[in-house]
């Protein structure tokens, strides 16, 4: 059972467009991570957020952690074909546990 | 390369056979995790170790599954009497003890196909 909802499930856009994907939970997070995964490979960490309201930028990617620490978003500016992949969020529900729960992911395709 | 490595990358086996996967974590990491991922889904937690101690196991880890980390370094995941439903990618990850969100790093996965 997945406790994290990610939306949208699929997204196909043209190169140069902006997009936002979302990660929501009914539970408060201790920390949250975003990963990108390409077919046949393991997930690659993009960012970790631990503080409510935190905003982190990674080049054209902007990650936001909700104030209540129950949601997060990833915004990509001027998407490129190299951004294509499965975007996963993962959380730990509370301090002291190291079990990460993953969402089902958003599959992004950026068309040239 | 000092990333998480997994072996084999691909395994095709007949139903009923046993298979074993190996994971070598990042050398200074004392936590090691196993996840399973099927097509269209995010990774599902199976188990994790802190050093050689197996601290948590998912209900997904049936009695046909066993994981070990005998010396607190590499780990093995064995599946006995494989079933077609075991077909998936088995991911290993590791992390170091400490704050900063306990970032975990994944290997490239071991694909299992049970025919």
């Amino acid at each position: 059972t997945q406790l994290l909802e990610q939306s949208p499930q699929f997204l196909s856009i043209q190169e140069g467009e902006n997009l936002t994907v979302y990660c929501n939970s009914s539970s408060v997070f201790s920390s949250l991570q975003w990963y990108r995964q390409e077919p046949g490979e393991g997930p690659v960490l993009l960012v970790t957020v631990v503080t409510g309201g935190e905003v982190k930028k990674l080049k054209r990617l902007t990650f936001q952690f909700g104030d209540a620490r129950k949601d997060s978003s990833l915004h990509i500016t001027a998407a490129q074909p190299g951004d294509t992949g499965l975007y996963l969020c993962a959380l730990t529900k509370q301090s002291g546990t190291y079990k990460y729960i993953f969402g089902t992911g958003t599959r992004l395709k950026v068309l040239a | 390369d000092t990333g998480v490595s997994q072996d084999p990358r691909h395994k095709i086996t007949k139903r009923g056979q046993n298979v074993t996967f190996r994971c070598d974590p990042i050398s200074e990491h004392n936590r090691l995790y196993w996840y399973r991922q099927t097509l269209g889904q995010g990774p599902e937690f199976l188990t994790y170790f802190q050093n050689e101690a197996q601290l948590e196991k998912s209900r997904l880890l049936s009695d046909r599954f066993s994981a070990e980390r005998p010396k607190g370094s590499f780990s093995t995941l064995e599946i006995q009497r494989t079933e077609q439903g075991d077909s998936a990618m088995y991911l290993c990850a590791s992390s170091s003890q400490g704050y900063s969100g306990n970032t975990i790093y994944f290997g490239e996965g071991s694909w299992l196909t049970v025919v």
Side-chain angles (χ1 to χ4, degrees), chain B:
Chain B
D1 181 55
T2 57
V4 178
S5 63
Q6 294 188 242
D7 182 71
R9 291 292 314 280
H10 302 274
K11 179 74 176 178
I12 300 174
T13 191
K14 291 183 178 179
R15 189 175 53 185
Q17 298 293 306
N18 299 342
V19 296
T20 299
F21 300 111
R22 176 181 169 123
C23 172
D24 287 272
I26 294 172
S27 59
E28 63 268 27
H29 286 181
N30 64 339
R31 294 194 183 116
L32 186 147
Y33 309 77
W34 285 100
Y35 284 81
R36 180 174 70 187
Q37 187 176 24
T38 53
L39 286 175
Q41 299 293 320
E44 295 176 294
F45 172 80
L46 293 178
T47 189
Y48 94 87
F49 293 82
Q50 180 156 315
N51 300 312
E52 65 275 10
Q54 188 173 20
L55 296 186
E56 192 168 350
K57 291 171 60 172
S58 163
R59 289 173 297 172
L60 294 173
L61 216 64
S62 75
D63 56 5
R64 296 185 298 105
F65 288 70
S66 62
E68 295 183 344
R69 194 183 183 198
K71 297 181 180 179
S73 56
F74 73 92
S75 175
T76 57
L77 176 68
E78 181 183 17
I79 309 174
Q80 297 182 322
R81 305 181 302 281
T82 52
E83 302 172 356
Q84 286 186 321
D86 297 331
S87 296
M89 182 160 71
Y90 290 85
L91 289 161
C92 177
S94 70
S95 71
S96 60
Q97 188 164 354
Y99 194 60
S100 300
N102 301 308
T103 301
I104 61 173
Y105 298 91
F106 282 87
E108 294 183 318
S110 292
W111 278 102
L112 173 64
T113 302
V114 182
V115 297

Side-chain angles (χ1 to χ4, degrees), chain A residues 33 35 37 41 45 98 100, chain B residues 33 35 37 101-104:
Chain A
Q33 300 183 335
Y35 291 82
Q37 184 177 24
E41 303 293 329
L45 178 69
Y98 307 107
Y100 281 78
Chain B
Y33 309 77
Y35 284 81
Q37 187 176 24
N102 301 308
T103 301
I104 61 173

Side-chain angles (χ1 to χ4, degrees), chain A residues 57-69:
Chain A
K57 291 196 172 187
L58 185 66
K59 297 183 181 177
R60 294 176 294 101
L61 278 59
T62 302
F63 303 87
Q64 187 153 11
F65 200 13
D67 290 338
R69 296 166 67 181

Side-chain angles (χ1 to χ4, degrees), chain A residues 3-4 24-29 68-71 91 93:
Chain A
L3 302 181
L4 274 180
N24 293 283
S25 170
S26 57
S27 301
V28 174
F29 312 153
R69 296 166 67 181
K70 295 171 69 174
D71 60 273
L91 63 85
K93 289 178 68 177

